[in-house]
């Protein structure tokens, strides 16, 4: 029997592997199918001195960290989650060298087909495909990304099973990469209810939960609060606590026998992979998860800074005629430049890969196309990060962090003006292409 894709568009066809452009264009040099997956948006800031000191103090440690993390790290992770209303014991927590290693282990342990929202974080699907697991993208509602529409989810599950598939795992993110939105609680509740009703296990990627731009005005709920026995939470510390170059992540397993068995299987996979944290990084991760004053102050200052810059980028995109949902979390923005298609077409841009190449060269900063996130290759969508707009030196970036008006700093103004100018040129070209009324 032929398996159709989840949206009913004919024979099963997954989005192009990361790094693949249209068939007529060769891969750029060094851009393999997986190894050009865009990384998490970096904060662009120098490492917090207190974290550097913690790492340096543990630099003498030459022994291996236990698989899954040592007692100090696991206890720190428990405290982190307890402060967020998700109490857990150390026997339900595992650490790994980054969220991708944990998701790979979870996918291997759970088996079956994988469902993800469209678009989704660039690193989710490759790990399932690496294991030979089919990945099905499910549409998200208009107001937010990261969490599938519940009715689209039910229809996808029905079709996959009807055609011989075995959907078992749904990966979602309430605070989302790439869309920078936060799913409303009512949508999350409906989707979680639909998923658990179909017997799916949920992995909630909560990497960006601590980067809400308006934390007192935005309600963020974890799926683990709704169904404690069916949700595994994964948090990459590069989201808000550690530099991206110090890979560390933690996973919180559900209560009950299901969580116990899954935890054991994940540890087996991590052992087979040799996926251990480096000892000094584990010490720094535990320190960050304890959230002492300097770590909390830096995180809050960084969130405020990136919120301001993201709002300015959103304004530039909208002023140029593009579309983008207002960013609510993270250090990025997801822009839809479909209204500028005619002007982009005149520049030789007709799909997301070409848009990525055009904007990356034009802006002088990475601008991964929507196809990297499982979106339609033909759609003119792109993720724009805020970190590259903070300056070229540590001095400039730190000045952004301490300034009461970072958008008025000359180097930030120049970066935003360059971005706005590139987009305005497209708007002006698009207006010239409009037929007379």
């Amino acid at each position: 029997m032929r398996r159709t894709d989840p949206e009913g568009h004919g024979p099963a066809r997954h989005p192009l592997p990361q790094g693949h452009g249209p068939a007529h264009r060769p891969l750029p040099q060094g851009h393999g199918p997986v190894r050009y997956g865009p990384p998490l948006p970096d904060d662009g800031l120098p490492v917090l001195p207190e974290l550097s000191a913690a790492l340096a103090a543990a630099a003498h440690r030459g022994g291996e960290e236990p698989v899954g993390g040592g007692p100090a790290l696991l206890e720190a992770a428990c405290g982190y989650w307890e402060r967020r209303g998700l109490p857990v014991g150390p026997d339900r927590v595992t650490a790994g060298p980054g969220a991708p290693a944990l998701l790979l282990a979870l996918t291997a342990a759970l088996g079956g087909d994988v469902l993800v929202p469209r678009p989704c974080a660039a690193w989710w699907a490759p790990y399932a495909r690496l294991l030979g697991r089919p990945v099905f993208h499910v549409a998200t509602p208009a107001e937010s990304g990261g969490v599938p529409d519940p009715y689209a989810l039910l229809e996808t599950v029905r079709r996959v099973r009807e055609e011989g598939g075995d959907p078992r795992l749904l990966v979602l993110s309430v605070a989302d990469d790439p869309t920078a939105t936060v799913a409303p609680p009512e949508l999350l509740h409906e989707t979680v209810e639909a998923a658990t009703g179909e017997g799916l296990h949920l992995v909630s990627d909560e990497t960006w939960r601590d980067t809400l731009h308006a934390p007192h005005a935005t309600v963020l709920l974890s799926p683990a609060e709704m169904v404690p026995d069916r949700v595994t939470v994964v948090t990459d510390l590069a989201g808000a606590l550690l530099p991206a170059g110090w890979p560390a992540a933690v996973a919180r397993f559900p209560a009950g026998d299901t969580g116990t068995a899954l935890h054991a299987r994940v540890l087996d996979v991590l052992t087979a992979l040799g996926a251990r944290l480096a000892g000094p990084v584990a010490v720094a991760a535990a320190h960050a998860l304890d959230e002492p004053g300097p770590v909390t102050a830096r995180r809050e200052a960084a969130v405020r800074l990136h919120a301001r810059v993201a709002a300015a980028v959103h304004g530039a995109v909208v002023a140029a005629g593009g579309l983008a949902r207002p960013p609510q979390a993270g250090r990025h923005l997801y822009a839809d430049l479909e209204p500028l298609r005619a002007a982009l077409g005149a520049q030789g841009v007709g799909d997301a890969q070409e848009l990525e190449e055009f904007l990356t060269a034009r802006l002088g900063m990475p601008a991964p196309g929507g196809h990297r996130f499982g979106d339609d290759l033909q759609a003119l969508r792109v993720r724009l990060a805020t970190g590259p707009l903070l300056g070229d030196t540590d001095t400039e970036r730190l000045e952004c962090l301490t300034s009461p008006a970072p958008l008025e700093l000359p180097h930030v103004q120049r970066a935003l003006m360059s971005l706005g100018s590139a987009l305005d040129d497209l708007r002006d070209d698009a207006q010239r292409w409009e037929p007379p009324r």
Side-chain angles (χ1 to χ4, degrees):
M1 178 180 292
R2 294 200 320 165
R3 294 182 67 177
T4 61
D5 79 358
E7 295 179 5
H9 297 320
R13 48 174 172 72
H14 304 303
L16 291 172
Q18 296 183 34
H20 278 215
H24 67 276
R25 234 181 10 257
L27 287 170
Q29 185 175 1
H31 290 191
V34 173
R35 64 181 178 270
Y36 189 59
L40 293 176
D42 189 80
D43 68 4
L45 299 169
V47 177
L48 180 68
E50 286 78 3
L51 289 178
S52 295
L55 187 79
H60 66 281
R61 291 183 50 178
E64 292 186 325
E65 186 79 359
V67 172
L73 178 56
L74 300 184
E75 287 288 352
C78 291
Y80 169 87
W81 273 309
E82 184 167 2
R83 290 188 293 275
R84 284 151 183 80
L86 294 171
V88 65
D91 59 333
R92 301 280 174 172
V93 175
T94 290
L102 294 179
L103 184 59
L104 174 63
L106 282 162
T107 306
L110 286 163
D113 299 349
V114 180
L115 297 103
V116 296
R118 171 173 284 151
C120 69
W123 55 274
W124 289 358
Y127 291 93
R129 296 194 182 113
L130 201 62
L131 295 168
R133 303 284 165 72
V135 179
F136 294 88
H137 289 263
V138 187
T140 54
E143 66 266 29
S144 63
V147 175
D149 176 88
Y151 299 103
L153 176 64
L154 290 172
E155 177 63 10
T156 301
V157 170
R158 183 191 67 79
R159 289 185 181 181
V160 172
R161 286 179 176 154
E162 193 174 73
E163 296 165 8
D166 182 22
R168 296 189 196 175
L169 171 61
L170 170 64
V171 188
L172 48 73
S173 56
V174 180
D176 184 46
D177 172 25
T179 67
T181 59
V182 176
E186 56 273 15
L187 167 67
L188 180 65
H189 185 272
E190 292 175 4
T191 299
V192 168
E193 189 175 62
T196 55
E198 293 296 330
L200 303 179
H201 188 89
L202 282 72
V203 170
S204 177
D205 176 7
E206 300 186 6
T207 295
W208 301 104
R209 71 166 296 154
D210 295 325
T211 65
L212 299 184
H213 295 179
H216 300 297
T218 306
V219 178
L220 185 150
L221 291 180
S222 169
E225 298 178 63
M226 301 178 179
V227 280
D229 59 339
R230 300 291 298 181
V231 178
T232 299
V233 176
V234 173
T235 299
D236 196 307
L237 303 194
L241 293 173
L242 283 185
W246 302 0
V250 287
R252 177 192 183 276
F253 290 85
D257 293 341
T258 298
T260 300
L262 181 58
H263 180 249
R265 291 198 298 272
V266 165
L267 286 177
D268 285 342
V269 176
L270 293 175
T271 301
L273 294 173
R276 294 176 169 86
L277 270 77
V281 172
V283 171
H287 182 73
L289 285 165
D290 281 336
E291 298 180 292
V295 170
T296 301
R298 163 60 78 88
R299 180 183 66 211
E300 292 175 351
V303 169
R304 286 194 300 270
L305 170 61
H306 284 282
R308 291 175 177 178
V309 178
V313 175
H314 178 262
V317 170
V318 173
L323 305 172
R325 286 173 284 209
Q328 297 175 284
R331 304 184 283 260
H332 52 284
L333 179 85
Y334 199 55
D336 185 348
L337 302 186
E338 181 63 32
L340 305 175
R341 180 175 286 277
L344 286 164
Q347 300 284 344
V349 175
D351 62 29
Q353 176 65 50
E354 291 166 343
L355 179 62
E356 173 184 298
E357 294 166 0
F358 173 77
L359 285 180
T360 296
R362 189 77 171 264
L363 302 177
M365 57 183 266
H371 62 304
R372 307 288 180 190
F373 310 100
D375 223 335
D376 184 356
L377 176 66
Q378 300 306 315
L380 296 177
R381 301 189 185 111
V382 65
R383 187 187 72 184
L384 301 173
T386 52
L389 303 173
L390 303 183
D392 298 323
T393 67
D394 283 353
T395 300
E396 288 181 341
R397 296 171 188 135
L398 278 177
E399 190 178 7
C400 290
L401 196 65
T402 57
S403 172
L407 301 186
E408 297 176 12
L409 295 173
H411 59 278
V412 177
Q413 281 190 333
R414 286 194 298 270
L416 290 171
M417 286 176 62
S418 177
L419 172 66
S421 177
L423 294 172
D424 287 345
D425 287 347
L426 293 174
R427 177 198 60 199
D428 295 341
D429 289 346
Q431 290 172 349
R432 283 192 290 270
W433 278 87
E434 287 181 359
R437 298 183 183 276

